[in-house]
Amino acid sequence: MAWGQMAAKRKRGALAAGKAKRARSAPSAGEAVPEERSVPPQEYTIPPPVSQGKWKNKERVLIFSSRGINFRTRHLMQDLRTLMPHSKADTKMDRKDQLFVINEVCEMKNCNKCIFFEAKKKQDLYMWLSNTPQGPSAKFLVQNVHTLAELKMTGNCLRGSRPLLSFDPIFDQEPHYTLLKELFIQIFSTPQYHPKSQPFVDHVFTFSITDERIWFRNYQIIEEDASLVEIGPRFVLNLIKIFQGSFGGPTLYENPHYQSPNMHRRLIRLSVAAKFREKQQVKEVQKIKKKGTKVLIEEDPTDVVFETPAEEKPVEIQLVKPESKPIVKDKKKLRKIQRKKQKKLFRAEGSA
């Protein structure tokens, strides 16, 4: 009990001291409040941010792909995300899912534009550009893909800077190209005053039309002489169809010059087979020529005029058996035998 009473007294004393301190700190009505000292002006001030505008254009682009893409497509997708600060990423979509599901994914991600890479047969790459969820949308076949890491170009630009968009004059002549131009502007242009963007313009996206295809290039703008140096990535878009809705709906335009990759590979196989068939036919014709009967030429009677009969030699019958030549393998022995024969001949001539 004694320890409990002492603890209670300590607490009461602490409370009383705290109240006294608070009372001392509070000024009374009669006392004058001391004036605050004036703060000297700071020598260094932090400058305000460069872009003080308000972010009004709330364009957000979802960039993702289906399963089955190769490494080059994955790097291209990552390069586009790097170049577009207003883009968002998502996990790969399953092949079995319908394309209409992408509209719901964009709604969940709070995106109103979409770039979707669809891979087929692990060799064909298709790109969907869509304005979700109302539409329109366009489907392209992507060809000649070269990524930033692969090109190793000398150009460079600031990460998050806003690009200029340069379009071919043909985009203003054809109605379907005009629609694609507006779609490209809304997707690839970085909104002004975007939080992740930088207020600088140091590179340009070019969309040129050659051979009924859209060629995409990315160039750096050099400040000294305003010349262009390519950065990358680069790819070619072959338009297939333009749909009224997002990832489907009525067809607004169909490219008559488009040839599917399956048809292209089939024509290559047929051309190779035709060359092989032609070679086989040539071999068969040569065999038939070799096996064919030779045409016999009639004898010319005048050929016998200049022929002179040769003299007939008398037939000699040899009655004596010819001497057998000794078979000597050693050359030295053969020379000795020849010398002995020569000596015998000389002796016979001398005695005669």
Side-chain angles (χ1 to χ4, degrees):
M1 291 298 290
W3 288 104
Q5 289 176 359
M6 289 176 69
K9 286 179 181 180
R10 284 175 187 169
K11 287 182 182 177
R12 288 172 192 168
L15 288 171
K19 287 179 182 178
K21 286 179 182 177
R22 286 177 190 172
R24 286 176 189 171
S25 62
S28 61
E31 293 180 2
V33 181
E35 295 182 359
E36 294 181 358
R37 295 180 181 178
S38 59
V39 180
Q42 295 179 355
E43 295 180 2
Y44 302 102
T45 57
I46 299 172
V50 180
S51 60
Q52 294 180 340
K54 190 178 180 181
W55 177 32
K56 294 180 181 179
N57 183 13
K58 301 296 180 73
E59 293 284 350
R60 297 182 183 88
V61 183
L62 181 66
I63 303 177
F64 71 119
S65 68
S66 65
R67 297 194 181 277
I69 60 172
N70 54 10
F71 70 97
R72 186 167 288 161
T73 308
R74 188 175 67 253
H75 283 279
L76 173 65
M77 192 167 55
Q78 192 61 38
D79 293 343
L80 290 177
R81 288 172 183 166
T82 307
L83 292 171
M84 300 164 64
H86 61 295
S87 64
K88 287 188 177 183
D90 195 23
T91 56
K92 294 178 183 178
M93 197 178 77
D94 198 359
R95 294 179 186 175
K96 296 178 182 178
D97 294 339
Q98 300 258 338
L99 292 176
F100 295 103
V101 181
I102 301 174
N103 296 325
E104 298 177 4
V105 176
C106 292
E107 188 178 355
M108 287 188 291
K109 288 281 184 178
N110 197 17
C111 297
N112 50 4
K113 298 291 185 295
C114 181
I115 300 178
F116 178 67
F117 291 95
E118 186 180 8
K120 290 185 178 179
K121 294 188 176 181
K122 295 187 178 180
Q123 55 185 347
D124 302 331
L125 179 64
Y126 299 92
M127 179 193 284
W128 286 84
L129 300 178
S130 176
N131 177 29
T132 57
Q134 293 87 10
S137 59
K139 186 180 181 182
F140 301 91
L141 175 67
V142 186
Q143 298 172 326
N144 301 334
V145 177
H146 298 282
T147 59
L148 278 169
E150 182 184 356
L151 286 175
K152 296 181 181 177
M153 295 290 184
T154 56
N156 195 5
C157 66
L158 186 68
R159 186 187 179 98
S161 60
R162 300 178 64 228
L164 292 175
L165 298 184
S166 173
F167 290 94
D168 197 280
I170 304 174
F171 276 99
D172 298 326
Q173 298 174 6
E174 300 289 337
H176 61 280
Y177 283 136
T178 307
L179 177 61
L180 290 177
K181 178 182 177 181
E182 184 63 30
L183 196 62
F184 287 146
I185 289 172
Q186 294 185 16
I187 289 177
F188 287 96
S189 62
T190 304
Q192 195 175 11
Y193 306 122
H194 191 276
K196 293 183 180 179
S197 67
Q198 299 289 340
F200 307 106
V201 177
D202 59 353
H203 64 288
V204 54
F205 292 160
T206 62
F207 298 89
S208 55
I209 298 173
T210 307
D211 194 21
E212 303 296 334
R213 290 170 174 81
I214 300 170
W215 301 64
F216 175 86
R217 295 289 184 273
N218 180 23
Y219 296 98
Q220 177 195 359
I221 304 171
I222 299 176
E223 295 180 3
E224 288 78 12
D225 53 353
S227 60
L228 300 178
V229 180
E230 189 171 357
I231 305 171
R234 57 162 70 169
F235 52 88
V236 180
L237 299 176
N238 191 359
L239 178 63
I240 303 173
K241 284 183 181 181
I242 300 176
F243 299 97
Q244 185 176 350
S246 178
F247 296 98
T251 304
L252 298 179
Y253 176 78
E254 186 174 358
N255 188 7
H257 306 284
Y258 172 71
Q259 188 182 64
S260 66
N262 293 332
M263 181 61 68
H264 181 67
R265 286 190 287 267
R266 181 174 176 271
L267 292 175
I268 291 173
R269 287 197 301 269
L270 288 174
S271 64
V272 172
K275 288 180 182 178
F276 179 74
R277 213 176 293 117
E278 187 178 354
K279 287 181 181 178
Q280 293 295 326
Q281 289 175 358
V282 170
K283 287 181 180 179
E284 289 177 1
V285 171
Q286 289 176 354
K287 286 180 181 179
I288 291 169
K289 284 182 179 179
K290 287 179 181 178
K291 289 180 180 179
T293 55
K294 296 180 180 179
V295 179
L296 297 175
I297 301 171
E298 296 180 357
E299 292 182 359
D300 190 1
T302 58
D303 289 342
V304 191
V305 176
F306 299 101
E307 289 182 359
T308 54
E311 295 180 359
E312 294 183 358
K313 292 181 179 181
V315 180
E316 294 180 0
I317 300 170
Q318 192 172 2
L319 301 174
V320 183
K321 182 181 178 182
E323 294 180 0
S324 61
K325 294 180 179 180
I327 299 169
V328 182
K329 292 183 180 179
D330 195 357
K331 290 183 180 180
K332 291 181 179 180
K333 290 182 179 180
L334 180 63
R335 287 174 187 171
K336 287 180 180 179
I337 293 168
Q338 287 177 354
R339 285 173 188 170
K340 286 180 181 180
K341 285 183 178 180
Q342 287 176 359
K343 286 179 180 178
K344 286 179 182 179
L345 288 172
F346 287 136
R347 285 173 186 171
E349 288 176 1
S351 60

